[in-house]
Amino acid sequence: MAITTVATSQITSTTDITTIAPADFANLTTADLAEINKTQAAALSGEQIATLTHETVSAIVGQLKNIDPRALSSLSETAITALPIASLSMDDIAALTPSQFNAFTSTQIAGLSKSQWSAVTPEQIAALSADTGTFSGSLLAVNIKYLSSDNFSALTPLQVSELTPLQVAALTSTQLAGLSGDQAAALTPIQAEGLKSFALFLANDAFLISDFIHSLSAKTFATLTAGSTGALASLTSDQISAITSTQIAALNSAQIASLTADEIAALTPAAISGFTKANIVGLNLSYLTGDGQFSALKPTQFLAVPTAQIANLTEDTVTSL
């Protein structure tokens, strides 16, 4: 028969913890709970664990390693915020519900170790609340590199847009390679400092940069740096061929001027149509050697080209107009 009322004197090392009804377990004080031994902790049910509060859960921290992770998954979202994150095993982490994981404070999330992160599930990652700042505030750059490929893929576009520049800069080449089109498109200009570090990965064959480049918003694409050592100069021909006309239109003349002959030649005719009157002055017309490139220029674009460049056009180029 289950015990219906529990006095402190009734909780001893020989007490059959399974006979204590959840309602009675809820009435135990922290002093009572602190007396629970290893055997009793292993026998605790999810119904009993669910009665623990933010104030009383601290009394069983020392026994967490003995509690069945499945029972621990019944802990309330309020109570779970009182747990020292280091006290949770990998099995404990893996057993948590997405709601429990999202209930962790930023301090708890930031305190997760590399091994604990390896136990986190994609469902838990997807549950982190980006709109309240939980995600960007807690998953610091020092932690983001610990996300597995599956967990990184589980990030929603909203979560990706919440990443700070430092977090973006901490992404590994494997994580970058796993960016989906929707995730890449969610990156914002505010993340520009992080995006600049992508130059280190642009030449990585494992990085599906063509899809990534194509998905970048025009504003974000415009943050790619110019110059011989900038991000734009690091793009390969395949990557350049993924650029859209909208992205070309977002660049300034200095960025256009930093593109090499090979890069310009790799632009599609559709991308060529994106040059504006303002940025086409940075374009070297002699670089338009790809099929259909020169003929893709609109009359308004051609009129904006400096006369010095027009004078240098070859006969073959002019006949293609």
Side-chain angles (χ1 to χ4, degrees), residues 162-247:
E162 289 287 314
L163 293 175
T164 66
L166 286 177
Q167 290 170 323
V168 173
L171 295 174
T172 66
S173 57
T174 299
Q175 290 170 325
L176 288 172
L179 273 176
S180 69
D182 288 342
Q183 287 175 319
L187 291 167
T188 68
I190 297 176
Q191 296 161 315
E193 290 304 314
L195 282 172
K196 289 175 184 177
S197 70
F198 285 174
L200 298 174
F201 306 109
L202 294 179
N204 190 326
D205 291 337
F207 186 15
L208 303 179
I209 190 65
S210 295
D211 290 340
F212 173 75
I213 287 291
H214 184 80
S215 299
L216 285 177
S217 68
K219 287 184 178 180
T220 300
F221 185 76
T223 65
L224 295 179
T225 51
S228 59
T229 60
L232 285 172
S234 300
L235 297 176
T236 67
S237 295
D238 286 343
Q239 294 158 1
I240 288 288
S241 66
I243 294 175
T244 67
S245 59
T246 303
Q247 291 169 328

Side-chain angles (χ1 to χ4, degrees), residues 97-98 101-102 109 112 117 120-130 135 139 146-148 150-156 159 183:
T97 66
F101 194 76
N102 186 42
I109 291 291
L112 286 168
W117 273 115
V120 173
T121 67
E123 291 75 21
Q124 291 168 334
I125 291 294
L128 286 172
S129 301
F135 182 79
L139 194 59
Y146 295 152
L147 291 184
S148 66
D150 286 344
N151 284 345
F152 189 75
S153 296
L155 294 177
T156 66
Q159 288 174 317
Q183 287 175 319

Side-chain angles (χ1 to χ4, degrees), residues 40 104 106 115 136 163-164 176 180 201 212 272 275 303 316:
Q40 292 167 327
F104 277 141
S106 59
S115 60
S136 60
L163 293 175
T164 66
L176 288 172
S180 69
F201 306 109
F212 173 75
I272 295 292
F275 282 110
L303 289 173
D316 289 341

